[in-house]
PDB file of all heavy atoms in Angstrom:
ATOM      1  N   ALA A   1     -75.938  70.824 -31.402  1.00  0.00           N
ATOM      2  CA  ALA A   1     -76.119  69.497 -30.804  1.00  0.00           C
ATOM      3  C   ALA A   1     -74.785  68.925 -30.326  1.00  0.00           C
ATOM      4  O   ALA A   1     -74.711  68.315 -29.243  1.00  0.00           O
ATOM      5  CB  ALA A   1     -76.760  68.563 -31.819  1.00  0.00           C
ATOM      6  N   GLN A   2     -73.723  69.121 -31.109  1.00  0.00           N
ATOM      7  CA  GLN A   2     -72.414  68.616 -30.706  1.00  0.00           C
ATOM      8  C   GLN A   2     -71.911  69.315 -29.448  1.00  0.00           C
ATOM      9  O   GLN A   2     -71.327  68.674 -28.562  1.00  0.00           O
ATOM     10  CB  GLN A   2     -71.410  68.797 -31.845  1.00  0.00           C
ATOM     11  CG  GLN A   2     -71.646  67.873 -33.029  1.00  0.00           C
ATOM     12  CD  GLN A   2     -70.525  67.954 -34.045  1.00  0.00           C
ATOM     13  OE1 GLN A   2     -69.356  67.804 -33.712  1.00  0.00           O
ATOM     14  NE2 GLN A   2     -70.889  68.210 -35.293  1.00  0.00           N
ATOM     15  N   LEU A   3     -72.139  70.621 -29.359  1.00  0.00           N
ATOM     16  CA  LEU A   3     -71.726  71.350 -28.161  1.00  0.00           C
ATOM     17  C   LEU A   3     -72.501  70.870 -26.934  1.00  0.00           C
ATOM     18  O   LEU A   3     -71.930  70.700 -25.847  1.00  0.00           O
ATOM     19  CB  LEU A   3     -71.938  72.854 -28.356  1.00  0.00           C
ATOM     20  CG  LEU A   3     -70.935  73.564 -29.266  1.00  0.00           C
ATOM     21  CD1 LEU A   3     -71.372  75.003 -29.507  1.00  0.00           C
ATOM     22  CD2 LEU A   3     -69.538  73.533 -28.666  1.00  0.00           C
ATOM     23  N   ALA A   4     -73.794  70.650 -27.100  1.00  0.00           N
ATOM     24  CA  ALA A   4     -74.613  70.185 -25.987  1.00  0.00           C
ATOM     25  C   ALA A   4     -74.141  68.830 -25.487  1.00  0.00           C
ATOM     26  O   ALA A   4     -74.169  68.550 -24.278  1.00  0.00           O
ATOM     27  CB  ALA A   4     -76.074  70.120 -26.414  1.00  0.00           C
ATOM     28  N   ASP A   5     -73.697  67.972 -26.398  1.00  0.00           N
ATOM     29  CA  ASP A   5     -73.233  66.635 -26.021  1.00  0.00           C
ATOM     30  C   ASP A   5     -71.824  66.645 -25.420  1.00  0.00           C
ATOM     31  O   ASP A   5     -71.459  65.728 -24.682  1.00  0.00           O
ATOM     32  CB  ASP A   5     -73.244  65.709 -27.241  1.00  0.00           C
ATOM     33  CG  ASP A   5     -74.648  65.346 -27.683  1.00  0.00           C
ATOM     34  OD1 ASP A   5     -75.590  65.510 -26.871  1.00  0.00           O
ATOM     35  OD2 ASP A   5     -74.811  64.920 -28.843  1.00  0.00           O
ATOM     36  N   ALA A   6     -71.031  67.671 -25.747  1.00  0.00           N
ATOM     37  CA  ALA A   6     -69.611  67.664 -25.393  1.00  0.00           C
ATOM     38  C   ALA A   6     -69.338  68.112 -23.963  1.00  0.00           C
ATOM     39  O   ALA A   6     -68.292  67.782 -23.402  1.00  0.00           O
ATOM     40  CB  ALA A   6     -68.832  68.549 -26.357  1.00  0.00           C
ATOM     41  N   PHE A   7     -70.272  68.877 -23.368  1.00  0.00           N
ATOM     42  CA  PHE A   7     -70.045  69.432 -22.039  1.00  0.00           C
ATOM     43  C   PHE A   7     -71.170  69.002 -21.098  1.00  0.00           C
ATOM     44  O   PHE A   7     -72.290  68.746 -21.528  1.00  0.00           O
ATOM     45  CB  PHE A   7     -69.973  70.966 -22.108  1.00  0.00           C
ATOM     46  CG  PHE A   7     -68.839  71.475 -22.956  1.00  0.00           C
ATOM     47  CD1 PHE A   7     -69.037  71.785 -24.296  1.00  0.00           C
ATOM     48  CD2 PHE A   7     -67.578  71.644 -22.414  1.00  0.00           C
ATOM     49  CE1 PHE A   7     -67.998  72.250 -25.083  1.00  0.00           C
ATOM     50  CE2 PHE A   7     -66.531  72.108 -23.185  1.00  0.00           C
ATOM     51  CZ  PHE A   7     -66.741  72.412 -24.519  1.00  0.00           C
ATOM     52  N   PHE A   8     -70.861  68.968 -19.796  1.00  0.00           N
ATOM     53  CA  PHE A   8     -71.865  68.566 -18.816  1.00  0.00           C
ATOM     54  C   PHE A   8     -73.051  69.525 -18.827  1.00  0.00           C
ATOM     55  O   PHE A   8     -74.201  69.119 -18.761  1.00  0.00           O
ATOM     56  CB  PHE A   8     -71.256  68.532 -17.415  1.00  0.00           C
ATOM     57  CG  PHE A   8     -70.157  67.515 -17.264  1.00  0.00           C
ATOM     58  CD1 PHE A   8     -68.909  67.895 -16.810  1.00  0.00           C
ATOM     59  CD2 PHE A   8     -70.372  66.188 -17.580  1.00  0.00           C
ATOM     60  CE1 PHE A   8     -67.890  66.969 -16.672  1.00  0.00           C
ATOM     61  CE2 PHE A   8     -69.360  65.251 -17.446  1.00  0.00           C
ATOM     62  CZ  PHE A   8     -68.109  65.646 -16.993  1.00  0.00           C
ATOM     63  N   ASP A   9     -72.741  70.823 -18.875  1.00  0.00           N
ATOM     64  CA  ASP A   9     -73.780  71.843 -18.911  1.00  0.00           C
ATOM     65  C   ASP A   9     -73.139  73.137 -19.390  1.00  0.00           C
ATOM     66  O   ASP A   9     -71.936  73.182 -19.697  1.00  0.00           O
ATOM     67  CB  ASP A   9     -74.441  72.031 -17.542  1.00  0.00           C
ATOM     68  CG  ASP A   9     -73.451  72.271 -16.415  1.00  0.00           C
ATOM     69  OD1 ASP A   9     -72.376  72.872 -16.681  1.00  0.00           O
ATOM     70  OD2 ASP A   9     -73.732  71.857 -15.279  1.00  0.00           O
ATOM     71  N   GLN A  10     -73.924  74.200 -19.439  1.00  0.00           N
ATOM     72  CA  GLN A  10     -73.417  75.468 -19.970  1.00  0.00           C
ATOM     73  C   GLN A  10     -72.297  76.042 -19.109  1.00  0.00           C
ATOM     74  O   GLN A  10     -71.307  76.565 -19.638  1.00  0.00           O
ATOM     75  CB  GLN A  10     -74.557  76.475 -20.090  1.00  0.00           C
ATOM     76  CG  GLN A  10     -74.143  77.764 -20.802  1.00  0.00           C
ATOM     77  CD  GLN A  10     -75.306  78.720 -20.958  1.00  0.00           C
ATOM     78  OE1 GLN A  10     -75.993  79.022 -19.977  1.00  0.00           O
ATOM     79  NE2 GLN A  10     -75.543  79.184 -22.174  1.00  0.00           N
ATOM     80  N   SER A  11     -72.413  75.930 -17.795  1.00  0.00           N
ATOM     81  CA  SER A  11     -71.366  76.486 -16.937  1.00  0.00           C
ATOM     82  C   SER A  11     -70.046  75.742 -17.131  1.00  0.00           C
ATOM     83  O   SER A  11     -68.963  76.351 -17.087  1.00  0.00           O
ATOM     84  CB  SER A  11     -71.786  76.445 -15.466  1.00  0.00           C
ATOM     85  OG  SER A  11     -71.986  75.112 -15.030  1.00  0.00           O
ATOM     86  N   HIS A  12     -70.120  74.433 -17.367  1.00  0.00           N
ATOM     87  CA  HIS A  12     -68.913  73.660 -17.651  1.00  0.00           C
ATOM     88  C   HIS A  12     -68.259  74.149 -18.941  1.00  0.00           C
ATOM     89  O   HIS A  12     -67.036  74.366 -18.998  1.00  0.00           O
ATOM     90  CB  HIS A  12     -69.285  72.175 -17.772  1.00  0.00           C
ATOM     91  CG  HIS A  12     -68.138  71.289 -18.158  1.00  0.00           C
ATOM     92  ND1 HIS A  12     -68.255  70.300 -19.101  1.00  0.00           N
ATOM     93  CD2 HIS A  12     -66.853  71.253 -17.738  1.00  0.00           C
ATOM     94  CE1 HIS A  12     -67.107  69.694 -19.242  1.00  0.00           C
ATOM     95  NE2 HIS A  12     -66.234  70.242 -18.426  1.00  0.00           N
ATOM     96  N   MET A  13     -69.051  74.375 -19.979  1.00  0.00           N
ATOM     97  CA  MET A  13     -68.523  74.879 -21.246  1.00  0.00           C
ATOM     98  C   MET A  13     -67.862  76.239 -21.054  1.00  0.00           C
ATOM     99  O   MET A  13     -66.761  76.495 -21.567  1.00  0.00           O
ATOM    100  CB  MET A  13     -69.632  74.980 -22.288  1.00  0.00           C
ATOM    101  CG  MET A  13     -69.146  75.506 -23.634  1.00  0.00           C
ATOM    102  SD  MET A  13     -70.473  75.621 -24.862  1.00  0.00           S
ATOM    103  CE  MET A  13     -71.454  76.970 -24.146  1.00  0.00           C
ATOM    104  N   ILE A  14     -68.502  77.125 -20.312  1.00  0.00           N
ATOM    105  CA  ILE A  14     -67.957  78.464 -20.088  1.00  0.00           C
ATOM    106  C   ILE A  14     -66.614  78.391 -19.377  1.00  0.00           C
ATOM    107  O   ILE A  14     -65.641  79.058 -19.765  1.00  0.00           O
ATOM    108  CB  ILE A  14     -68.962  79.320 -19.294  1.00  0.00           C
ATOM    109  CG1 ILE A  14     -70.184  79.637 -20.158  1.00  0.00           C
ATOM    110  CG2 ILE A  14     -68.311  80.618 -18.800  1.00  0.00           C
ATOM    111  CD1 ILE A  14     -71.329  80.279 -19.401  1.00  0.00           C
ATOM    112  N   ARG A  15     -66.527  77.555 -18.337  1.00  0.00           N
ATOM    113  CA  ARG A  15     -65.265  77.425 -17.599  1.00  0.00           C
ATOM    114  C   ARG A  15     -64.142  76.911 -18.493  1.00  0.00           C
ATOM    115  O   ARG A  15     -63.010  77.396 -18.424  1.00  0.00           O
ATOM    116  CB  ARG A  15     -65.450  76.494 -16.396  1.00  0.00           C
ATOM    117  CG  ARG A  15     -66.282  77.074 -15.266  1.00  0.00           C
ATOM    118  CD  ARG A  15     -66.102  76.258 -13.992  1.00  0.00           C
ATOM    119  NE  ARG A  15     -66.400  74.848 -14.193  1.00  0.00           N
ATOM    120  CZ  ARG A  15     -67.605  74.304 -14.049  1.00  0.00           C
ATOM    121  NH1 ARG A  15     -68.646  75.068 -13.728  1.00  0.00           N
ATOM    122  NH2 ARG A  15     -67.790  73.007 -14.215  1.00  0.00           N
ATOM    123  N   GLU A  16     -64.449  75.926 -19.316  1.00  0.00           N
ATOM    124  CA  GLU A  16     -63.422  75.351 -20.175  1.00  0.00           C
ATOM    125  C   GLU A  16     -62.944  76.349 -21.230  1.00  0.00           C
ATOM    126  O   GLU A  16     -61.747  76.450 -21.511  1.00  0.00           O
ATOM    127  CB  GLU A  16     -63.957  74.081 -20.859  1.00  0.00           C
ATOM    128  CG  GLU A  16     -64.197  72.929 -19.904  1.00  0.00           C
ATOM    129  CD  GLU A  16     -62.908  72.413 -19.301  1.00  0.00           C
ATOM    130  OE1 GLU A  16     -62.200  71.643 -19.984  1.00  0.00           O
ATOM    131  OE2 GLU A  16     -62.584  72.786 -18.157  1.00  0.00           O
ATOM    132  N   ILE A  17     -63.868  77.091 -21.811  1.00  0.00           N
ATOM    133  CA  ILE A  17     -63.478  78.089 -22.807  1.00  0.00           C
ATOM    134  C   ILE A  17     -62.655  79.198 -22.151  1.00  0.00           C
ATOM    135  O   ILE A  17     -61.680  79.694 -22.727  1.00  0.00           O
ATOM    136  CB  ILE A  17     -64.718  78.634 -23.537  1.00  0.00           C
ATOM    137  CG1 ILE A  17     -65.299  77.528 -24.432  1.00  0.00           C
ATOM    138  CG2 ILE A  17     -64.378  79.858 -24.380  1.00  0.00           C
ATOM    139  CD1 ILE A  17     -66.608  77.894 -25.104  1.00  0.00           C
ATOM    140  N   GLN A  18     -63.016  79.588 -20.940  1.00  0.00           N
ATOM    141  CA  GLN A  18     -62.218  80.565 -20.202  1.00  0.00           C
ATOM    142  C   GLN A  18     -60.781  80.084 -20.029  1.00  0.00           C
ATOM    143  O   GLN A  18     -59.830  80.841 -20.207  1.00  0.00           O
ATOM    144  CB  GLN A  18     -62.822  80.820 -18.820  1.00  0.00           C
ATOM    145  CG  GLN A  18     -64.055  81.704 -18.822  1.00  0.00           C
ATOM    146  CD  GLN A  18     -64.623  81.837 -17.431  1.00  0.00           C
ATOM    147  OE1 GLN A  18     -64.770  80.847 -16.718  1.00  0.00           O
ATOM    148  NE2 GLN A  18     -64.945  83.046 -17.030  1.00  0.00           N
ATOM    149  N   ARG A  19     -60.614  78.840 -19.651  1.00  0.00           N
ATOM    150  CA  ARG A  19     -59.277  78.314 -19.384  1.00  0.00           C
ATOM    151  C   ARG A  19     -58.390  78.343 -20.617  1.00  0.00           C
ATOM    152  O   ARG A  19     -57.203  78.672 -20.535  1.00  0.00           O
ATOM    153  CB  ARG A  19     -59.379  76.873 -18.878  1.00  0.00           C
ATOM    154  CG  ARG A  19     -59.891  76.726 -17.463  1.00  0.00           C
ATOM    155  CD  ARG A  19     -59.794  75.272 -17.027  1.00  0.00           C
ATOM    156  NE  ARG A  19     -60.166  75.111 -15.636  1.00  0.00           N
ATOM    157  CZ  ARG A  19     -61.348  74.655 -15.236  1.00  0.00           C
ATOM    158  NH1 ARG A  19     -62.268  74.328 -16.120  1.00  0.00           N
ATOM    159  NH2 ARG A  19     -61.613  74.525 -13.951  1.00  0.00           N
ATOM    160  N   PHE A  20     -58.933  77.953 -21.758  1.00  0.00           N
ATOM    161  CA  PHE A  20     -58.100  77.735 -22.936  1.00  0.00           C
ATOM    162  C   PHE A  20     -58.143  78.864 -23.962  1.00  0.00           C
ATOM    163  O   PHE A  20     -57.175  79.066 -24.691  1.00  0.00           O
ATOM    164  CB  PHE A  20     -58.486  76.411 -23.602  1.00  0.00           C
ATOM    165  CG  PHE A  20     -58.229  75.230 -22.720  1.00  0.00           C
ATOM    166  CD1 PHE A  20     -59.267  74.595 -22.058  1.00  0.00           C
ATOM    167  CD2 PHE A  20     -56.942  74.761 -22.516  1.00  0.00           C
ATOM    168  CE1 PHE A  20     -59.031  73.505 -21.227  1.00  0.00           C
ATOM    169  CE2 PHE A  20     -56.690  73.676 -21.688  1.00  0.00           C
ATOM    170  CZ  PHE A  20     -57.742  73.047 -21.038  1.00  0.00           C
ATOM    171  N   ALA A  21     -59.249  79.583 -24.047  1.00  0.00           N
ATOM    172  CA  ALA A  21     -59.358  80.695 -24.989  1.00  0.00           C
ATOM    173  C   ALA A  21     -59.269  82.049 -24.298  1.00  0.00           C
ATOM    174  O   ALA A  21     -59.035  83.057 -24.951  1.00  0.00           O
ATOM    175  CB  ALA A  21     -60.664  80.601 -25.777  1.00  0.00           C
ATOM    176  N   GLY A  22     -59.482  82.091 -22.984  1.00  0.00           N
ATOM    177  CA  GLY A  22     -59.365  83.334 -22.249  1.00  0.00           C
ATOM    178  C   GLY A  22     -60.573  84.234 -22.353  1.00  0.00           C
ATOM    179  O   GLY A  22     -60.484  85.431 -22.080  1.00  0.00           O
ATOM    180  N   ARG A  23     -61.711  83.700 -22.770  1.00  0.00           N
ATOM    181  CA  ARG A  23     -62.944  84.472 -22.924  1.00  0.00           C
ATOM    182  C   ARG A  23     -64.129  83.667 -22.412  1.00  0.00           C
ATOM    183  O   ARG A  23     -64.099  82.440 -22.407  1.00  0.00           O
ATOM    184  CB  ARG A  23     -63.239  84.776 -24.396  1.00  0.00           C
ATOM    185  CG  ARG A  23     -62.220  85.607 -25.120  1.00  0.00           C
ATOM    186  CD  ARG A  23     -62.183  87.032 -24.584  1.00  0.00           C
ATOM    187  NE  ARG A  23     -61.390  87.865 -25.458  1.00  0.00           N
ATOM    188  CZ  ARG A  23     -60.071  87.842 -25.521  1.00  0.00           C
ATOM    189  NH1 ARG A  23     -59.396  86.997 -24.776  1.00  0.00           N
ATOM    190  NH2 ARG A  23     -59.425  88.645 -26.340  1.00  0.00           N
ATOM    191  N   THR A  24     -65.183  84.361 -22.027  1.00  0.00           N
ATOM    192  CA  THR A  24     -66.476  83.710 -21.893  1.00  0.00           C
ATOM    193  C   THR A  24     -67.091  83.634 -23.286  1.00  0.00           C
ATOM    194  O   THR A  24     -66.762  84.439 -24.161  1.00  0.00           O
ATOM    195  CB  THR A  24     -67.407  84.511 -20.975  1.00  0.00           C
ATOM    196  OG1 THR A  24     -67.623  85.802 -21.538  1.00  0.00           O
ATOM    197  CG2 THR A  24     -66.813  84.645 -19.588  1.00  0.00           C
ATOM    198  N   PRO A  25     -67.990  82.684 -23.543  1.00  0.00           N
ATOM    199  CA  PRO A  25     -68.610  82.600 -24.870  1.00  0.00           C
ATOM    200  C   PRO A  25     -69.249  83.904 -25.322  1.00  0.00           C
ATOM    201  O   PRO A  25     -69.205  84.239 -26.511  1.00  0.00           O
ATOM    202  CB  PRO A  25     -69.649  81.487 -24.688  1.00  0.00           C
ATOM    203  CG  PRO A  25     -69.049  80.610 -23.641  1.00  0.00           C
ATOM    204  CD  PRO A  25     -68.359  81.550 -22.692  1.00  0.00           C
ATOM    205  N   ALA A  26     -69.815  84.681 -24.399  1.00  0.00           N
ATOM    206  CA  ALA A  26     -70.469  85.935 -24.782  1.00  0.00           C
ATOM    207  C   ALA A  26     -69.492  86.936 -25.360  1.00  0.00           C
ATOM    208  O   ALA A  26     -69.888  87.841 -26.099  1.00  0.00           O
ATOM    209  CB  ALA A  26     -71.170  86.541 -23.572  1.00  0.00           C
ATOM    210  N   ARG A  27     -68.194  86.786 -25.056  1.00  0.00           N
ATOM    211  CA  ARG A  27     -67.192  87.749 -25.520  1.00  0.00           C
ATOM    212  C   ARG A  27     -66.410  87.251 -26.723  1.00  0.00           C
ATOM    213  O   ARG A  27     -65.511  87.928 -27.201  1.00  0.00           O
ATOM    214  CB  ARG A  27     -66.230  88.080 -24.376  1.00  0.00           C
ATOM    215  CG  ARG A  27     -66.901  88.802 -23.220  1.00  0.00           C
ATOM    216  CD  ARG A  27     -65.956  89.002 -22.056  1.00  0.00           C
ATOM    217  NE  ARG A  27     -64.825  89.838 -22.404  1.00  0.00           N
ATOM    218  CZ  ARG A  27     -63.801  90.085 -21.571  1.00  0.00           C
ATOM    219  NH1 ARG A  27     -63.801  89.539 -20.374  1.00  0.00           N
ATOM    220  NH2 ARG A  27     -62.813  90.855 -21.940  1.00  0.00           N
ATOM    221  N   LEU A  28     -66.738  86.069 -27.235  1.00  0.00           N
ATOM    222  CA  LEU A  28     -65.953  85.515 -28.341  1.00  0.00           C
ATOM    223  C   LEU A  28     -66.241  86.196 -29.667  1.00  0.00           C
ATOM    224  O   LEU A  28     -65.400  86.198 -30.559  1.00  0.00           O
ATOM    225  CB  LEU A  28     -66.219  84.013 -28.470  1.00  0.00           C
ATOM    226  CG  LEU A  28     -65.613  83.161 -27.359  1.00  0.00           C
ATOM    227  CD1 LEU A  28     -66.195  81.764 -27.388  1.00  0.00           C
ATOM    228  CD2 LEU A  28     -64.102  83.120 -27.482  1.00  0.00           C
ATOM    229  N   SER A  29     -67.429  86.761 -29.837  1.00  0.00           N
ATOM    230  CA  SER A  29     -67.800  87.341 -31.128  1.00  0.00           C
ATOM    231  C   SER A  29     -67.954  88.857 -31.058  1.00  0.00           C
ATOM    232  O   SER A  29     -68.555  89.456 -31.934  1.00  0.00           O
ATOM    233  CB  SER A  29     -69.111  86.725 -31.616  1.00  0.00           C
ATOM    234  OG  SER A  29     -70.141  86.932 -30.674  1.00  0.00           O
ATOM    235  N   ASP A  30     -67.377  89.485 -30.009  1.00  0.00           N
ATOM    236  CA  ASP A  30     -67.560  90.926 -29.872  1.00  0.00           C
ATOM    237  C   ASP A  30     -66.391  91.744 -30.413  1.00  0.00           C
ATOM    238  O   ASP A  30     -66.314  92.950 -30.198  1.00  0.00           O
ATOM    239  CB  ASP A  30     -67.824  91.303 -28.413  1.00  0.00           C
ATOM    240  CG  ASP A  30     -66.636  90.990 -27.499  1.00  0.00           C
ATOM    241  OD1 ASP A  30     -65.600  90.528 -27.992  1.00  0.00           O
ATOM    242  OD2 ASP A  30     -66.764  91.238 -26.288  1.00  0.00           O
ATOM    243  N   ASP A  31     -65.468  91.076 -31.128  1.00  0.00           N
ATOM    244  CA  ASP A  31     -64.338  91.747 -31.775  1.00  0.00           C
ATOM    245  C   ASP A  31     -63.430  92.481 -30.797  1.00  0.00           C
ATOM    246  O   ASP A  31     -62.736  93.422 -31.169  1.00  0.00           O
ATOM    247  CB  ASP A  31     -64.815  92.723 -32.863  1.00  0.00           C
ATOM    248  CG  ASP A  31     -65.489  92.009 -34.020  1.00  0.00           C
ATOM    249  OD1 ASP A  31     -65.068  90.867 -34.319  1.00  0.00           O
ATOM    250  OD2 ASP A  31     -66.416  92.577 -34.601  1.00  0.00           O
ATOM    251  N   GLU A  32     -63.398  92.039 -29.537  1.00  0.00           N
ATOM    252  CA  GLU A  32     -62.507  92.688 -28.584  1.00  0.00           C
ATOM    253  C   GLU A  32     -61.047  92.333 -28.823  1.00  0.00           C
ATOM    254  O   GLU A  32     -60.162  93.074 -28.449  1.00  0.00           O
ATOM    255  CB  GLU A  32     -62.875  92.292 -27.151  1.00  0.00           C
ATOM    256  CG  GLU A  32     -64.109  92.974 -26.621  1.00  0.00           C
ATOM    257  CD  GLU A  32     -64.307  92.690 -25.139  1.00  0.00           C
ATOM    258  OE1 GLU A  32     -63.806  91.653 -24.681  1.00  0.00           O
ATOM    259  OE2 GLU A  32     -64.940  93.497 -24.470  1.00  0.00           O
ATOM    260  N   SER A  33     -60.800  91.189 -29.418  1.00  0.00           N
ATOM    261  CA  SER A  33     -59.418  90.755 -29.596  1.00  0.00           C
ATOM    262  C   SER A  33     -59.226  90.071 -30.939  1.00  0.00           C
ATOM    263  O   SER A  33     -59.489  88.885 -31.084  1.00  0.00           O
ATOM    264  CB  SER A  33     -59.009  89.794 -28.475  1.00  0.00           C
ATOM    265  OG  SER A  33     -57.689  89.353 -28.704  1.00  0.00           O
ATOM    266  N   PRO A  34     -58.756  90.804 -31.936  1.00  0.00           N
ATOM    267  CA  PRO A  34     -58.549  90.173 -33.242  1.00  0.00           C
ATOM    268  C   PRO A  34     -57.483  89.095 -33.224  1.00  0.00           C
ATOM    269  O   PRO A  34     -57.538  88.149 -33.996  1.00  0.00           O
ATOM    270  CB  PRO A  34     -58.132  91.345 -34.137  1.00  0.00           C
ATOM    271  CG  PRO A  34     -57.656  92.403 -33.210  1.00  0.00           C
ATOM    272  CD  PRO A  34     -58.443  92.234 -31.949  1.00  0.00           C
ATOM    273  N   PHE A  35     -56.485  89.220 -32.313  1.00  0.00           N
ATOM    274  CA  PHE A  35     -55.455  88.186 -32.256  1.00  0.00           C
ATOM    275  C   PHE A  35     -56.059  86.868 -31.809  1.00  0.00           C
ATOM    276  O   PHE A  35     -55.838  85.826 -32.424  1.00  0.00           O
ATOM    277  CB  PHE A  35     -54.338  88.604 -31.298  1.00  0.00           C
ATOM    278  CG  PHE A  35     -53.176  87.652 -31.293  1.00  0.00           C
ATOM    279  CD1 PHE A  35     -52.300  87.606 -32.357  1.00  0.00           C
ATOM    280  CD2 PHE A  35     -52.971  86.776 -30.240  1.00  0.00           C
ATOM    281  CE1 PHE A  35     -51.227  86.717 -32.359  1.00  0.00           C
ATOM    282  CE2 PHE A  35     -51.911  85.900 -30.228  1.00  0.00           C
ATOM    283  CZ  PHE A  35     -51.040  85.876 -31.304  1.00  0.00           C
ATOM    284  N   LEU A  36     -56.847  86.891 -30.742  1.00  0.00           N
ATOM    285  CA  LEU A  36     -57.482  85.663 -30.285  1.00  0.00           C
ATOM    286  C   LEU A  36     -58.428  85.121 -31.348  1.00  0.00           C
ATOM    287  O   LEU A  36     -58.453  83.928 -31.618  1.00  0.00           O
ATOM    288  CB  LEU A  36     -58.235  85.888 -28.976  1.00  0.00           C
ATOM    289  CG  LEU A  36     -58.955  84.616 -28.496  1.00  0.00           C
ATOM    290  CD1 LEU A  36     -58.663  84.335 -27.047  1.00  0.00           C
ATOM    291  CD2 LEU A  36     -60.454  84.741 -28.703  1.00  0.00           C
ATOM    292  N   ASN A  37     -59.211  85.996 -31.967  1.00  0.00           N
ATOM    293  CA  ASN A  37     -60.172  85.540 -32.972  1.00  0.00           C
ATOM    294  C   ASN A  37     -59.478  84.805 -34.111  1.00  0.00           C
ATOM    295  O   ASN A  37     -59.983  83.817 -34.631  1.00  0.00           O
ATOM    296  CB  ASN A  37     -60.981  86.722 -33.508  1.00  0.00           C
ATOM    297  CG  ASN A  37     -61.941  87.264 -32.472  1.00  0.00           C
ATOM    298  OD1 ASN A  37     -62.223  86.613 -31.468  1.00  0.00           O
ATOM    299  ND2 ASN A  37     -62.432  88.470 -32.698  1.00  0.00           N
ATOM    300  N   GLU A  38     -58.303  85.279 -34.510  1.00  0.00           N
ATOM    301  CA  GLU A  38     -57.562  84.601 -35.568  1.00  0.00           C
ATOM    302  C   GLU A  38     -57.022  83.259 -35.087  1.00  0.00           C
ATOM    303  O   GLU A  38     -57.105  82.254 -35.778  1.00  0.00           O
ATOM    304  CB  GLU A  38     -56.410  85.475 -36.052  1.00  0.00           C
ATOM    305  CG  GLU A  38     -55.469  84.793 -37.041  1.00  0.00           C
ATOM    306  CD  GLU A  38     -56.123  84.410 -38.366  1.00  0.00           C
ATOM    307  OE1 GLU A  38     -57.153  85.008 -38.722  1.00  0.00           O
ATOM    308  OE2 GLU A  38     -55.588  83.501 -39.042  1.00  0.00           O
ATOM    309  N   MET A  39     -56.484  83.233 -33.859  1.00  0.00           N
ATOM    310  CA  MET A  39     -55.856  82.013 -33.369  1.00  0.00           C
ATOM    311  C   MET A  39     -56.863  80.884 -33.159  1.00  0.00           C
ATOM    312  O   MET A  39     -56.503  79.711 -33.201  1.00  0.00           O
ATOM    313  CB  MET A  39     -55.094  82.288 -32.071  1.00  0.00           C
ATOM    314  CG  MET A  39     -53.834  83.121 -32.250  1.00  0.00           C
ATOM    315  SD  MET A  39     -52.546  82.333 -33.244  1.00  0.00           S
ATOM    316  CE  MET A  39     -52.745  83.187 -34.806  1.00  0.00           C
ATOM    317  N   ILE A  40     -58.148  81.228 -32.915  1.00  0.00           N
ATOM    318  CA  ILE A  40     -59.147  80.172 -32.750  1.00  0.00           C
ATOM    319  C   ILE A  40     -59.959  79.962 -34.022  1.00  0.00           C
ATOM    320  O   ILE A  40     -60.924  79.206 -34.007  1.00  0.00           O
ATOM    321  CB  ILE A  40     -60.094  80.449 -31.563  1.00  0.00           C
ATOM    322  CG1 ILE A  40     -60.920  81.718 -31.790  1.00  0.00           C
ATOM    323  CG2 ILE A  40     -59.330  80.500 -30.261  1.00  0.00           C
ATOM    324  CD1 ILE A  40     -62.036  81.916 -30.780  1.00  0.00           C
ATOM    325  N   ASP A  41     -59.574  80.623 -35.133  1.00  0.00           N
ATOM    326  CA  ASP A  41     -60.282  80.417 -36.389  1.00  0.00           C
ATOM    327  C   ASP A  41     -60.149  78.949 -36.804  1.00  0.00           C
ATOM    328  O   ASP A  41     -59.089  78.338 -36.661  1.00  0.00           O
ATOM    329  CB  ASP A  41     -59.697  81.322 -37.473  1.00  0.00           C
ATOM    330  CG  ASP A  41     -60.572  81.379 -38.707  1.00  0.00           C
ATOM    331  OD1 ASP A  41     -60.593  80.368 -39.437  1.00  0.00           O
ATOM    332  OD2 ASP A  41     -61.212  82.411 -38.938  1.00  0.00           O
TER     333      ASP A  41
END
């Protein structure tokens, strides 16, 4: 619910996460980058 309220829509959320985390949401939990996963823990 908090995520839904925080962004205009899903595409807005995806763009923002790309800018600051360097991933699309679909790639955040695929263990491709342990360094990033730790830094956003």
Side-chain angles (χ1 to χ4, degrees):
Q2 289 188 53
L3 285 173
D5 289 342
F7 298 94
F8 297 125
D9 52 31
Q10 187 178 52
S11 62
H12 176 224
M13 180 180 69
I14 291 170
R15 289 195 305 271
E16 292 294 280
I17 290 174
Q18 284 177 314
R19 287 186 175 102
F20 297 103
R23 298 292 191 285
T24 61
R27 295 175 63 185
L28 288 167
S29 58
D30 64 2
D31 295 327
E32 284 188 335
S33 178
F35 186 73
L36 178 131
N37 290 344
E38 173 64 22
M39 290 296 102
I40 64 170
D41 192 287

